[in-house]
Amino acid sequence: MHINMLHEFKSNKIGVIGLSILLFLFISAVFAPVIAPHDPWDYSFNCFEPPSKDHLLGTNDIGYDIFSELLWSLRTSVVFGISVAAIACTIGLLVGVSAALVGGTYDVIVMRAADALLAIPSILVIILIAAYFKPSLPVLIITLSLITWQTIARGVRAQTLSLKTKLHIKAAKNMGASTSYIMRKHIIPELFPLFMMGFVTKTRIAVFMEAGLSFLGIFDPSTKSLGVMISYATHYLYLDVWLNWLLPPVFSLSILIISLAFISFAVEEIFDPRLRRNNVTQI
Amino acid sequence: MKWNRKAKMVTVYLFTIIFLVFLNFLLPRLLPGDAILSMYSGQEIIITEQMYNELVILHGLDKPLYEQFLIYLIQLAHGDLGYSYVFHASTTDMILAALPWTMLLVVTSFVLSAIAGIILGVESSWRRGGKFDRSLLVFMLFIDGIPALAIGIIFLSVFSLKFGWFPTAGAMTAYSNAEGIAHIKDVLIHLVLPLSTLTLSQVPGDYLLVRNSMLLTIREPFILTARAKGIKERRIKYFHAARNAFLPFFTRIGIRLTYVLTGVLFIETIFAYPGLGFLTYEAISNRDLPLIQGILVVSVLLVLMVNIIIDLFYKKIDPRIEYAH
């Protein structure tokens, strides 16, 4: 059964709300260089200025414009989230499909390694790697991708295994369909929802990790980050600047992650029809 | 077939340990440059020539790689996780001192959020699609979206700084000689905010898990049978349905633990709570690599231990597992 994702998604309220918020934040992040009123690295303004027309959220302790900083930080979050999701999902897809198709010892070794990764708190691994190398954005992205692909691989493997034995694929093969036709018409559409769900989940984890790590002091000094903003703002809590300095990054981070949570819940509901309301026989 | 399951578990543990050894032992030695300098540079200590030589001997860096590995394993087997030159203390001692505080937080929050998650999840799924279910679901997804980091900061600024109801840092009042009940009260009041943050960050996950598995359980024929027998609604909900819905909940404890340890890292840092998480933060700030490595070892051992215990108990809780394999 192929599910018409777009149609189902449109009628899922939670999903639509999540996607709208996400699009809004995404556009702000993409156009940050255009929207931001000031250079986020320009520290020539007065310190601790309250919000005004020129500085929508005021300025911070060393004279950065907080609103511009916020937009650029959001950009880092989005870039980080999407990069990690893309790399981790690609690795997961390759490993999962190959494990299912090749089987044998390769399958056993790869999947046991994937299980092993589950027992290791990934944040500690990144902290360690970042301490060995310099914590640059590419290093952080690649490390996080390399230790979070396992959930995708597991799902893809299970799905591919069950697809391999499906009658309609055998039938298509017998009718003389080429491998690429089967991939295009049957395998990819069946794996797509799983892939999408994985992508959203990974983006969410990555956005959270980026903010968390930079809050703890592990970040690329050449980029702006929500976590760094939060961490610095907490040092000045006693100055009553929390409304214009601390809350905006905390709030942005939260609604970004909430929108992703909404989307992933909606996709899960669509993907797993057993959870859908109209499909459950009432007792 | 039973053997297969055991073999599978053992291979997973083996891979975990290989990965750990790679991170802690092999990687610093394989990196270009001096292993000692890459491990200890950046700290606020000056490495004298004498200290450098001591470190070379401590890690056996003058010996071939396999002998170094042997030394590493022997030290590990003795519970020796290295020495922190920043804090001038044994890494093992520092971790052991921090561990009870983290355990207190983690175990209590696990229990509290499980209770809340099960009750809310069962009630919500029972009224599936209704107003209560839908609004609770959206609310939970909303809470689930707020990172523990944000919850902690909001709690800290509102309840500690603005209202002053709770202390801002620590696990007990420093230098107080309170004993008995006063001491327990002191510890509890310091526990409130970190514990509520950690619990609140876990409730939505528990709730969603219970709700999802309940939705599938409710449709099973045995629920219909129970109804037909005229058993009271509350009894069906909690003794028939919830008991089965509890299974996926139990199996996920091990995986969940790694997520909770991540949450603990931020929450303890925000509230300066003296557990493993805050220790990690201090290790990062001082670039104390041996301490980070030690914390990684202890965390992974903790997760593995919990996994083994769950694997042993799972057969008792779900006898079907014997036949399924």
Side-chain angles (χ1 to χ4, degrees):
Chain A
M1 180 189 62
H2 291 180
I3 300 159
N4 186 343
M5 287 281 294
L6 201 67
H7 177 76
E8 290 288 345
F9 197 86
K10 268 190 202 153
S11 56
N12 191 308
K13 242 189 247 162
I14 294 179
V16 171
I17 295 173
L19 194 63
S20 317
I21 301 174
L22 185 69
L23 276 179
F24 172 73
L25 291 173
F26 185 73
I27 290 169
S28 324
V30 169
F31 291 104
V34 187
I35 305 171
H38 299 284
D39 178 0
W41 301 100
D42 183 359
Y43 49 84
S44 61
F45 308 109
N46 291 330
C47 305
F48 294 118
E49 253 186 62
S52 63
K53 222 172 193 174
D54 191 32
H55 301 288
L56 280 177
L57 293 170
T59 58
N60 70 3
D61 58 328
I62 47 169
Y64 284 144
D65 178 56
I66 294 174
F67 182 63
S68 309
E69 247 198 322
L70 189 68
L71 284 173
W72 280 85
S73 304
L74 210 54
R75 207 174 147 86
T76 309
S77 292
V78 169
V79 168
F80 194 88
I82 292 179
S83 315
V84 170
I87 300 175
C89 285
T90 311
I91 299 175
L93 191 69
L94 292 178
V95 171
V97 171
S98 63
L101 295 181
V102 176
T105 322
Y106 172 76
D107 182 28
V108 172
I109 290 179
V110 165
M111 292 326 284
R112 290 300 90 75
D115 287 343
L117 281 178
L118 276 179
I120 296 169
S122 42
I123 193 154
L124 287 175
V125 177
I126 302 176
I127 289 171
L128 199 61
I129 301 272
Y132 288 146
F133 300 93
K134 288 271 172 298
S136 69
L137 210 54
V139 166
L140 294 178
I141 288 174
I142 291 169
T143 313
L144 188 56
S145 311
L146 283 180
I147 48 182
T148 50
W149 52 268
Q150 79 278 24
T151 42
I152 310 277
R154 196 198 279 252
V156 166
R157 175 179 169 274
Q159 188 81 352
T160 313
L161 275 181
S162 83
L163 276 178
K164 237 170 57 171
T165 58
K166 282 269 170 68
L167 218 53
H168 67 278
I169 287 180
K170 282 189 178 156
K173 216 174 231 167
N174 285 343
M175 299 284 276
S178 68
T179 318
S180 82
Y181 180 86
I182 293 176
M183 286 282 281
R184 229 175 37 239
K185 288 280 175 189
H186 296 289
I187 308 247
I188 303 270
E190 295 259 10
L191 285 180
F192 182 71
L194 191 70
F195 190 75
M196 219 182 103
M197 210 160 88
F199 197 90
V200 178
T201 320
K202 291 296 149 199
T203 312
R204 183 182 159 189
I205 292 172
V207 167
F208 167 72
M209 279 288 188
E210 193 274 330
L213 284 167
S214 54
F215 175 78
L216 294 173
I218 291 166
F219 58 94
D220 189 332
S222 67
T223 56
K224 290 283 172 189
S225 166
L226 291 173
V228 178
M229 288 182 75
I230 295 171
S231 153
Y232 283 138
T234 48
H235 294 164
Y236 295 96
L237 276 177
Y238 57 90
L239 275 182
D240 222 27
V241 289
W242 58 277
L243 195 64
N244 64 321
W245 189 8
L246 178 63
L247 277 194
V250 169
F251 193 64
S252 309
L253 178 65
S254 300
I255 58 170
L256 178 56
I257 295 180
I258 286 169
S259 69
L260 289 164
F262 276 21
I263 294 172
S264 85
F265 179 81
V267 177
E268 192 179 356
E269 239 188 357
I270 294 162
F271 180 43
D272 191 345
R274 292 177 305 177
L275 297 178
R276 266 188 286 168
R277 183 167 32 141
N278 51 10
N279 212 14
V280 178
T281 31
Q282 296 274 346
I283 359 171
Chain B
M1 282 321 240
K2 208 174 141 195
W3 173 242
N4 234 339
R5 190 175 146 75
K6 266 190 196 143
K8 189 178 154 180
M9 272 167 55
V10 171
T11 341
V12 173
Y13 299 148
L14 205 71
F15 269 113
T16 314
I17 287 163
I18 290 173
F19 192 61
L20 199 64
V21 167
F22 172 75
L23 275 174
N24 277 354
F25 174 80
L26 224 47
L27 205 57
R29 286 168 174 79
L30 288 181
L31 282 178
D34 190 277
I36 298 266
L37 291 181
S38 79
M39 270 179 74
Y40 293 94
S41 73
Q43 297 180 1
E44 283 171 20
I45 47 168
I46 298 150
I47 302 173
T48 57
E49 195 148 333
Q50 187 204 347
M51 213 172 123
Y52 185 91
N53 293 334
E54 274 174 19
L55 282 171
V56 167
I57 293 167
L58 180 74
H59 293 290
L61 287 175
D62 49 342
K63 300 191 175 73
L65 202 63
Y66 70 92
E67 265 184 57
Q68 291 180 31
F69 187 57
L70 218 63
I71 294 174
Y72 175 77
L73 283 186
I74 290 169
Q75 284 173 346
L76 212 58
H78 282 97
D80 177 8
L81 294 170
Y83 186 81
S84 163
Y85 279 92
V86 183
F87 297 100
H88 291 288
S90 144
T91 305
T92 315
D93 291 346
M94 290 174 73
I95 293 174
L96 284 182
L99 201 57
W101 293 115
T102 299
M103 296 299 280
L104 178 68
L105 265 181
V106 169
V107 173
T108 325
S109 75
F110 249 92
V111 174
L112 289 180
S113 81
I115 295 171
I118 288 171
I119 293 176
L120 291 173
V122 167
E123 293 301 328
S124 188
S125 65
W126 208 252
R127 297 169 173 78
R128 147 187 21 78
K131 214 172 183 179
F132 173 79
D133 174 41
R134 222 52 197 172
S135 38
L136 188 64
L137 183 66
V138 172
F139 177 71
M140 281 297 180
L141 283 176
F142 187 76
I143 300 284
D144 192 31
I146 309 177
L149 175 70
I151 302 179
I153 286 174
I154 293 167
F155 276 12
L156 180 76
S157 24
V158 174
F159 297 118
S160 291
L161 294 168
K162 194 143 179 80
F163 294 122
W165 291 344
F166 299 102
T168 53
M172 49 188 171
T173 312
Y175 308 115
S176 86
N177 294 319
E179 293 213 354
I181 292 183
H183 177 66
I184 293 173
K185 225 173 123 184
D186 187 42
V187 168
L188 282 181
I189 202 149
H190 280 83
L191 187 67
V192 172
L193 285 185
L195 180 63
S196 359
T197 313
L198 193 59
T199 308
L200 198 61
S201 70
Q202 288 176 67
V203 169
D206 288 349
Y207 161 81
L208 287 173
L209 193 66
V210 172
R211 182 179 175 274
N212 277 3
S213 58
M214 273 293 281
L215 285 185
L216 302 180
T217 312
I218 284 173
R219 303 190 305 160
E220 300 275 336
F222 72 87
I223 299 291
L224 195 63
T225 312
R227 284 211 163 183
K229 286 197 299 192
I231 296 172
K232 275 201 193 107
E233 177 121 335
R234 214 171 68 205
R235 211 179 148 75
I236 301 179
K237 258 196 281 191
Y238 286 96
F239 286 84
H240 294 239
R243 252 175 62 169
N244 280 277
F246 185 68
L247 282 177
F249 188 87
F250 186 74
T251 42
R252 284 175 67 106
I253 289 179
I255 300 169
R256 274 263 311 283
L257 188 63
T258 57
Y259 291 109
V260 175
L261 285 177
T262 308
V264 161
L265 180 50
F266 299 120
I267 291 164
E268 285 184 359
T269 303
I270 292 166
F271 294 102
Y273 203 78
L276 270 191
F278 189 55
L279 196 63
T280 314
Y281 174 69
E282 286 191 312
I284 297 170
S285 313
N286 294 298
R287 217 182 162 280
D288 191 344
L289 250 80
L291 189 52
I292 299 179
Q293 290 179 339
I295 294 170
L296 182 66
V297 172
V298 171
S299 311
V300 171
L301 287 182
L302 218 62
V303 174
L304 284 186
M305 233 162 61
V306 170
N307 276 341
I308 292 173
I309 294 171
I310 287 172
D311 270 323
L312 291 177
F313 270 95
Y314 196 72
K315 259 190 322 214
K316 285 214 169 77
I317 292 181
D318 186 6
R320 286 176 300 184
I321 202 91
E322 286 284 329
Y323 307 104
H325 280 272

